[in-house]
Amino acid sequence: KDFYVLISATSTTNTPTGSAVNSAREIRAYDMAHTQLTGTFTNLAYLEIPYPDADGNGIVDGTYISADSLKVWVWENNEWKIIAESGKANGRDGRDGRNVVWCNIKHLTSFMPIGILIAPATLGNVLIYPNPYKPNSGLGHEYITFGSKKDVSRKLTAYATIKIYTISGDMVKTLEATPADNGQKIWYVDNDAGNKVASGVYICLITNPQGEKCIGKLAIIR
């Protein structure tokens, strides 16, 4: 019998901790008369749900969720239930390397990949490099980076404000980190007016909405 399937984003109720951002999908099937089909399948169907990990660091973009921990959960009887036989695609049927979570399903409903939250970085351990910054040294220094995308323990927190001052306390630059930065912010060693910053020692103050702060020194040698 001919039919077609619609997959659409859906709002969720009582979303479990560790759910990938905006990842819930509702799957419905209709016959050619546009009547919704219900019931269970005669055979199990294979389902894949993609997740974002553009930099390949094993963390779902915009979250602190480990991609390796992802499982598919299903909405049944007004609650989310884990599908034990599911997970990140790792070599299943030659599917290694793709950012998808798979499972076998027996009926159509709402599904969502959910994983284990990794604690976000604290500002006291944020990586700042290179320091000293030497743009004319031949070392390839083009900018200064706050935070690490690969080392979760040294990321910026999801929201953070970076203020850079001269040693005498004059404001030089303000940078705002958001979840889209994925724990890392780049400074092109300029001031708020867009001019290159001169050689010297600078103070950086990093704060976040949780009340954490980190104070450090940066050396610039032109």
Side-chain angles (χ1 to χ4, degrees), residues 134-182:
K134 300 178 179 179
N136 299 315
S137 63
L139 298 174
H141 294 181
E142 297 180 11
Y143 44 76
I144 293 174
T145 302
F146 296 86
S148 170
K149 286 187 177 179
K150 296 187 178 297
D151 185 346
V152 174
S153 68
R154 308 204 69 184
K155 296 164 76 91
L156 289 167
T157 48
Y159 291 93
T161 299
I162 305 165
K163 292 184 179 293
I164 300 156
Y165 301 87
T166 65
I167 200 70
S168 60
D170 295 323
M171 172 65 72
V172 175
K173 185 77 174 183
T174 300
L175 303 168
E176 296 288 347
T178 70
D181 294 309
N182 198 21

Side-chain angles (χ1 to χ4, degrees), residues 3-137:
F3 68 96
Y4 63 94
V5 173
L6 291 179
I7 302 175
S8 59
T10 182
S11 58
T12 59
T13 303
N14 300 323
T15 304
T17 299
S19 59
V21 176
N22 299 323
S23 64
R25 296 292 182 268
E26 186 175 48
I27 305 175
R28 294 181 178 181
Y30 297 85
D31 63 20
M32 302 315 291
H34 310 301
T35 301
Q36 185 176 352
L37 302 176
T38 59
T40 58
F41 302 146
T42 303
N43 299 307
L44 288 175
Y46 178 78
L47 171 70
E48 288 185 351
I49 301 177
Y51 66 88
D53 183 15
D55 57 10
N57 68 347
I59 306 297
V60 179
D61 291 347
T63 74
Y64 292 107
I65 300 170
S66 167
D68 287 336
S69 73
L70 288 171
K71 293 278 190 178
V72 179
W73 290 53
V74 60
W75 182 252
E76 289 184 340
N77 300 320
N78 293 318
E79 64 176 327
W80 288 102
K81 297 180 180 179
I82 190 171
I83 300 178
E85 195 171 335
S86 66
K88 179 176 177 290
N90 282 320
R92 178 180 168 84
D93 298 332
R95 293 179 170 89
D96 190 25
R98 296 190 300 125
N99 296 338
V100 297
V101 186
W102 68 271
C103 72
N104 293 315
I105 61 175
K106 59 183 179 181
H107 59 85
L108 300 175
T109 183
S110 295
F111 300 86
M112 174 172 27
I114 297 175
I116 297 173
L117 280 173
I118 299 173
T122 58
L123 293 180
N125 199 33
V126 171
L127 179 65
I128 304 173
Y129 67 96
N131 189 16
Y133 168 78
K134 300 178 179 179
N136 299 315
S137 63

Side-chain angles (χ1 to χ4, degrees), residues 172-174 187-197 222:
V172 175
K173 185 77 174 183
T174 300
W187 178 37
Y188 288 97
V189 200
D190 58 348
N191 59 24
D192 283 330
N195 301 315
K196 293 297 182 182
V197 171
R222 293 194 182 277

